[in-house]
Amino acid sequence: MIPVQGYEGHKVAVLGLGRSGLATAAALQAGGATPLLWDDSPESRARAEAAGWTCHDLNRADAWEGVSALIVSPGIPHLYPAPNKLIARAMAEGIPVDNDIGLFFRSWATRDWDNFDTAPRTVCVTGSNGKSTTTALIHHILDHAGRPTQMAGNIGRGVLDIDPAEDGEVVVLELSSYQTDLARALTPDIAVFTNLSPDHLDRHGGMGGYFAAKRRLFAEGGPDRAIIGVDEPEGVYLANQIAVAREDDRVIRISAARKLGDFGWSVFARKGFLSEWRKGRQVASIDLRDVRGLPGAHNHQNACAAYAACRALGLAPRQIEEAFHSFGGLPHRSQTIAEKAGVRFVNDSKATNVDSAAKALQAFQNIRWIAGGLGKEGGVASLRPYLGAVKKAYFIGHSGRDFALELGEIPHEICETMERAVARAAEEAEGGDTVLLAPAAASFDQYPNFEKRGEHFTQLVQALPG
């Protein structure tokens, strides 16, 4: 746990009692503050009370007397589409509003660091897609190289729940736009921006607000090194805003689409090869084509980001390359779960929209594609350009027949259930085929979440003979 600094002897309200909220309350208490816990959900309050906490109704007229700050869980809106009424009240009364990320950055460094040979460092990863894989990959590479490291934030543990720093440790944080938007302190040593595509637009008042929330990690944080994906206009803009000159190597541009050889420092992937360039010349290259845990161009972009971060931390290209090959990928994200009789089975249940499904469909050859579920607005017709490697589709769920109507030009079968889809795909698959679960739809028609859908697919595959 990271005891929160700066609030000793003060009352601090905590709104939202999920994983991060309860960790925040414990960290505040460890730092000498008095946390006042509240959640609008009776179920969440009951779980907190079962864990030994006392809830403090922030709706009462006198609830805010003597409160020094309000700490908000990331899922609670503070501005758009409308601020939560308790956050609005705090702001109206001039009570500072923050989140656990802000508390972490004001509390991470301690006097103990004076005795360290090497100061601990933080690497923060944000963007629309690939955040989790990039974060986990950086953590894996550091661990493989023997560097002390922890992973937290939007993946793994809450930031205040991690252990106090060791000498030379690197903490790798995945940060969503919800987390970067509100944090009052953002001071990463290395900040990573993967890419940008429309998401959470209602929460940020549109695309501009969404990008602005991501940009805060760089504009407010002033990282020593900024690693920026430049395959979208926003990334090009962000890199240009930070760099003071073309050769400024504090900015490492990354791309999975084009060569970037003319900058001070760049890392890019083309045709399955990762290249590192500095001051106009290539200094390293890695063949990514046989890295099983990072298939496809989207994962090659993740590899570029993780490579750049680890190079900025002083690791050698050979160390990073070795770690790439032992990275198994994250569950439900282009995850190879089995290979039977020459047929590869891949769980990409996280591909809940057409954009992520398109990336998965471009990552493999000879695909037997399991898709469907609760379809999203706009349908799946935009996937047609990405179906060249699909030998047959097996449609499931509520929108299975709609998918078949929109994509009827490819061989397909209406299977309705995951059981039948897996059985039929496995029965028809030949050596060299890939059975790919990339639903392009939400899971809520048949499963509580995409994780349960992926777990069911995995169980069915593991039960297959061979």
Side-chain angles (χ1 to χ4, degrees), residues 349-369:
S349 183
K350 182 65 167 63
T352 59
N353 56 45
V354 294
D355 182 60
S356 51
K359 290 180 170 63
L361 290 169
Q362 294 173 81
F364 304 97
Q365 297 297 319
N366 304 318
I367 297 171
R368 295 189 177 275
W369 178 34

Side-chain angles (χ1 to χ4, degrees), residues 84 97 109 121 125 147 165 185 187 189 199 235 246 279 284 300 317 375:
N84 174 279
V97 178
R121 305 183 77 184
V125 181
R147 296 281 292 271
T187 53
D189 296 287
D199 205 0
R246 187 185 190 93
K279 298 179 180 178
H300 291 177

Side-chain angles (χ1 to χ4, degrees), residues 20 35 99 118 158 166 183 194 213 226 255 273 296 324 333 442:
S20 67
N99 62 16
T118 304
E166 295 182 28
T194 58
S255 174
F273 286 86
F324 278 170
R333 296 165 174 86

